[in-house]
Amino acid sequence: MNKKIWLSSPHMGSNEQVYVKDVFDSNWIAPLGAYVDGFEKDLADYTHTAYAAALSSGTGALHLALILAGVGAGDEVICQSMTFSASANPIAYLGATPVFVDSETSTWNMDPVLLEQAVKDRIAKGKKPKAIIPVHLYGMPAQMNEIMEIANRYEIPVIEDAAEALGSLYHGQPCGSIGKLGILSFNGNKIITTSGGGALIGNDEAAISKARFLATQARDPAPHYEHTHIGYNYRMSNVCAAIGRGQMEVLDVRVSQRRANYQHYVEQLSDLPGVTLVAEPTGFFSNRWLSTILIDPVLSNGITRETVRLALEKENIESRPLWKPMHMQPVFEHAPAYVNGVSENLFNNGLCLPSGSNLTTTDLSNVTNRIKELFAGNTAEVNVSRAYAPQE
Ligand SMILES: *Cc1c(COP(=O)(O)O)cnc(C)c1O
């Protein structure tokens, strides 16, 4: 069997282990500590925000952001439909209802036209949404000017889900720093990882302090344990933050490497019939966390994203259909949704290709050669004369 080519695997730099050893030497194997403080400063500096709270996950960060926005039982929160379930689950944790909004075709993120329709309609039905969650999917920034204009006009706070978009820029502004609050993720498959972790970022000191307070079991100042709020155990461990500080040193290199992967796919695949790779609109800079292609089976002579996925799987190459929209998920079937068919089409025809910053040029060629063979329709023959030696 060929060596497995992963979709997106962790990629350590040279200092992560040094910093983790330092944590061990100091015996500060605990939540909080000097590395957590340092990592928070790194994150705030990098995203041009005043404050960052390092947390145990991006999901936890979003949960806290919604609590800070005052979301409670019976409320409604507008959420991009085309996303990973973690963007919507924290709405349900609070007993609130997600209202899903479909995507536009240039970034695959929340369609501002549909967003305004949804806001107007929910208000007309008697419930003003408590927050809006746009997502920067696969690292591509959403149309934030348009989204912020609507949100500001209706005075609804925006919580940016930038879990996939650390290192992405929208007209020069880091993703996650544009809305009232932003969330980041350092899960194992993200552009940088702390093994698991997340952060809440923003310029509102009171909000970030309150998030830190809630994330540390909501302990009121007192010599004994005193509580006036329900707390959470959402803080990041000092060990994870040590990994994070090492990863921040290589983040810009990781962005370049992921963008180079995308460029390889553009050069090798965009001439295939029915295959599309979406370019960045002017002023949008994507970290290209995951490289994605669309395959139109009418133009490709019947080759679907599933044909491609299975052909890659046979070669021990991991790929995955684009995220299945939340309004199509059984768990959210009763949630209100404002749809235009864009995300459904993306799900039906889109595929995420191997995108790790640690892929070699041989790995990338193996992926694109396999896809080109499939389109050439002479797979059996070409297989024998593969340009590379299969590894055991
Ligand atoms: C990964 C991800 C999250 C959740 O982050 P975790 O750190 O895994 O909890 C939220 N939203 C999106 C869009 C993600 O991709």
Side-chain angles (χ1 to χ4, degrees):
M1 198 55 150
N2 298 344
K3 180 186 72 132
K4 174 116 182 177
I5 298 178
W6 297 95
L7 194 68
S8 179
S9 69
H11 187 187
M12 292 298 113
S14 44
N15 282 333
E16 289 83 347
Q17 270 187 311
V18 177
Y19 298 156
V20 170
K21 180 171 185 307
D22 188 33
V23 169
F24 273 71
D25 292 345
S26 71
N27 200 36
W28 211 282
I29 317 284
L32 305 180
Y35 277 96
V36 173
D37 297 343
F39 187 43
E40 290 183 339
K41 175 137 192 353
D42 293 346
L43 290 169
D45 290 348
Y46 190 89
T47 57
H48 304 174
T49 52
Y51 307 98
L55 301 166
S56 54
S57 71
T59 310
L62 188 52
H63 188 188
L64 293 178
L66 290 168
I67 293 170
L68 294 169
V71 175
D75 287 336
E76 292 189 348
V77 173
I78 292 189
C79 181
Q80 181 165 321
S81 184
M82 185 66 190
T83 186
F84 178 61
S85 63
S87 304
N89 284 336
I91 302 169
Y93 298 168
L94 291 165
T97 303
V99 174
F100 293 114
V101 170
D102 214 321
S103 292
E104 36 80 13
T105 53
S106 70
T107 73
W108 302 357
N109 294 311
M110 187 179 278
D111 181 346
V113 177
L114 269 187
L115 168 63
E116 181 154 20
Q117 274 178 28
V119 170
K120 278 188 178 155
D121 194 46
R122 299 326 290 173
I123 292 174
K125 288 188 160 69
K127 237 174 219 172
K128 181 172 163 179
K130 280 290 187 75
I132 299 171
I133 307 174
V135 184
H136 306 295
L137 205 68
Y138 306 124
M140 179 68 87
Q143 293 186 356
M144 290 308 292
N145 280 347
E146 290 81 353
I147 292 170
M148 291 304 296
E149 192 278 318
I150 295 161
N152 290 337
R153 192 146 39 83
Y154 289 92
E155 298 182 317
I156 304 170
V158 168
I159 301 167
E160 276 179 271
D161 183 343
E164 302 178 359
L166 183 59
S168 297
L169 301 169
Y170 175 77
H171 293 289
Q173 269 180 285
C175 284
S177 72
I178 303 162
K180 182 156 173 48
L181 291 168
I183 71 118
L184 303 172
S185 168
F186 315 110
N187 192 24
N189 62 349
K190 296 286 161 47
I191 191 154
I192 60 165
T193 181
T194 59
S195 72
L200 184 67
I201 59 174
N203 294 318
D204 180 346
E205 183 178 15
I208 302 292
S209 306
K210 179 115 188 253
R212 291 200 183 107
F213 164 77
L214 293 173
T216 326
Q217 309 285 22
R219 281 148 54 181
D220 293 334
H224 58 278
Y225 287 136
E226 178 81 10
H227 303 279
T228 50
H229 291 77
I230 296 294
Y232 302 85
N233 187 1
Y234 277 173
R235 277 301 239 164
M236 180 176 275
S237 106
N238 204 37
V239 181
C240 294
I243 301 173
R245 292 212 79 179
Q247 288 272 274
M248 286 304 285
E249 293 171 3
V250 292
L251 174 53
D252 283 335
V253 184
R254 298 293 177 263
V255 172
S256 307
Q257 288 160 328
R258 298 237 177 198
R259 287 176 61 84
N261 293 340
Y262 194 78
Q263 197 48 40
H264 173 88
Y265 289 130
V266 169
E267 281 159 19
Q268 297 299 315
L269 303 177
S270 48
D271 287 344
L272 297 176
V275 172
T276 321
L277 290 101
V278 179
E280 290 159 323
T282 310
F284 289 57
F285 179 88
S286 170
N287 68 8
R288 294 296 188 193
W289 171 57
L290 290 188
S291 284
T292 55
I293 59 170
L294 291 178
I295 303 164
D296 179 342
V298 177
L299 301 173
S300 68
N301 233 335
I303 294 175
T304 65
R305 65 112 157 109
E306 201 50 16
T307 329
V308 174
R309 191 185 71 77
L310 292 171
L312 292 175
E313 188 173 76
K314 260 200 192 148
E315 303 295 318
N316 212 14
I317 298 168
E318 187 185 23
S319 65
R320 184 177 295 135
L322 298 195
W323 297 177
K324 182 174 181 178
M326 291 305 111
H327 75 268
M328 295 171 69
Q329 296 286 357
V331 71
F332 292 124
E333 68 183 344
H334 300 300
Y338 295 79
V339 298
N340 55 15
V342 170
S343 64
E344 184 167 352
N345 178 57
L346 290 171
F347 171 61
N348 288 335
N349 296 323
L351 193 67
C352 302
L353 296 176
S355 304
S357 45
N358 48 8
L359 293 175
T360 64
T361 46
T362 312
D363 292 334
L364 288 168
S365 308
N366 288 352
V367 176
T368 47
N369 286 342
R370 187 70 194 88
I371 297 174
K372 288 195 281 188
E373 289 161 14
L374 194 68
F375 275 77
N378 56 355
T379 55
E381 229 176 350
V382 185
N383 249 339
V384 180
S385 58
R386 289 283 275 276
Y388 64 96
Q391 295 162 320
E392 210 31 74

